[in-house]
Amino acid sequence: MFSIGDFARLGRVSVRMLRHYDAIGLLTPATVDPASGYRFYRAAQLGRLNRVVALKELGFTLTQVQAILDEDLGPDALRGMLRLRRAQLEAQIEADAARLTGIEARLQLIEKEGHMPTEDVVLKPVTPVRVAELTAVSPTYETADIGPVIQPLYAELHRRLAVAGVKQTGPGIAYYTPAPDGPGEAVVVHATAQVDAGPHDGYDFEIVEVPAIPTAATIIHRGPMDNVEQSIQVLARWVEDNGYRTDGYVREVYLDYCADNTAEGVTELQLAVTKS
């Protein structure tokens, strides 16, 4: 058997932690010397200690760890739980990273207030375009909500086009409409790719026409869509300065866009406007 100090070193934990685990009944010593009160552990107890540390590091409370270990789960069941928890933590990390990116974009907007020229805005009509389309609902029109919805849509759309043998003939176009059955701020995300094909019962995507815009205020946005708000706010200033009002959501035409290198992306933003 091992003294508490030796066992702590072998298990790569502190003596204080072992004493706490003993106090709450999570990992009790194999034996305690009645005269000295010294705690002694067996090598086999390292297995339980490993489980305690792994579950604790994955975010489970000690009460939850106790309940899990009391069920005497085998390695396969325990590994399944650990994989699930790891996936949850990875998702949280991604969400936090996206939130930080959004904060950085907003800070850049604040820094550029009053220094964003509107000379690059072009007013023009936009003709209708035939596209292949997949749709999904986003809870809001916020960038942080749109991204996780539209990115998988495009990956799936490109996969289905390849299977169907339908060739993309022009830039992808994303547009947004209010969700008829969702909460007040929900939007339908339309991920589309221009094609030269008609509707077909065998397609697992829709062939539709992206509507024309009689008058659109447009601007070229360069870089990732994470900071698209900068270009949208330039459009907003131009619309206000020139006596127009907006009609609907901004449409995105991906003139040069690679999912693996969004920093080099080139996107035309189109905003339907009418004269006030």
Side-chain angles (χ1 to χ4, degrees):
M1 289 194 291
F2 303 95
S3 69
I4 190 171
D6 290 339
F7 189 76
R9 285 189 289 272
L10 292 169
R12 303 293 295 272
V13 297
S14 68
V15 170
R16 178 187 59 80
M17 190 60 67
L18 287 177
R19 287 173 177 157
H20 180 60
Y21 292 163
D22 180 19
I24 63 176
L26 187 56
L27 179 61
T28 58
T31 185
V32 178
D33 185 287
S36 65
Y38 289 163
R39 300 170 174 87
F40 294 92
Y41 296 81
R42 297 187 182 278
Q45 291 181 280
L46 288 170
R48 184 176 177 89
L49 178 60
N50 289 336
R51 288 165 169 76
V52 170
V53 173
L55 291 167
K56 180 172 173 286
E57 289 299 317
L58 281 169
F60 291 103
T61 67
L62 291 181
T63 301
Q64 291 170 328
V65 171
Q66 178 86 61
I68 292 170
L69 295 182
D70 286 348
E71 292 181 14
D72 195 23
L73 298 177
D76 289 343
L78 186 58
R79 183 173 293 278
M81 294 186 66
L82 298 184
R83 284 174 176 165
L84 175 61
R85 185 58 176 166
R86 181 171 59 190
Q88 292 172 337
L89 291 174
E90 288 173 348
Q92 182 61 52
I93 290 171
E94 290 180 4
D96 289 343
R99 188 174 296 110
L100 287 173
T101 299
I103 293 171
E104 177 63 28
R106 294 290 177 176
L107 288 175
Q108 291 178 12
L109 281 176
I110 292 170
E111 292 169 354
K112 293 181 178 180
E113 285 176 354
H115 303 284
M116 294 188 291
T118 60
E119 290 83 358
D120 293 333
V121 175
V122 175
L123 195 67
K124 67 180 184 181
V126 175
T127 58
V129 182
R130 177 176 291 183
V131 297
E133 174 183 272
L134 291 180
T135 63
V137 175
S138 172
T140 74
Y141 185 57
E142 293 181 19
T143 302
D145 287 333
I146 294 294
V149 175
I150 198 169
Q151 291 168 8
L153 274 182
Y154 266 109
E156 182 62 18
L157 177 61
H158 292 151
R159 185 192 71 80
R160 295 188 187 188
L161 288 174
V163 171
V166 175
K167 185 179 179 180
Q168 183 171 344
T169 59
I173 301 173
Y175 67 102
Y176 309 90
T177 54
D181 300 322
E185 295 186 56
V187 296
V188 178
V189 179
H190 300 257
T192 81
Q194 296 182 47
V195 296
D196 185 14
H200 191 285
D201 291 340
Y203 293 158
D204 52 359
F205 48 83
E206 297 292 327
I207 299 292
V208 301
E209 191 174 81
V210 177
I213 302 177
T215 307
T218 68
I219 191 172
I220 299 298
H221 172 75
R222 301 182 186 277
M225 297 302 288
D226 291 337
N227 62 358
V228 71
E229 288 89 355
Q230 294 184 30
S231 297
I232 292 176
Q233 291 193 19
V234 172
L235 279 177
R237 284 186 56 210
W238 184 94
V239 167
E240 184 176 70
D241 291 347
N242 290 273
Y244 285 85
R245 57 185 176 84
T246 62
D247 182 15
Y249 298 93
V250 174
R251 184 181 295 181
E252 301 155 8
V253 181
Y254 304 116
L255 301 176
D256 186 4
Y257 184 83
C258 176
D260 296 328
N261 187 16
T262 58
E264 300 298 325
V266 179
T267 306
E268 182 178 73
L269 305 178
Q270 302 173 344
L271 180 60
V273 296
T274 54
K275 200 69 174 177
S276 298

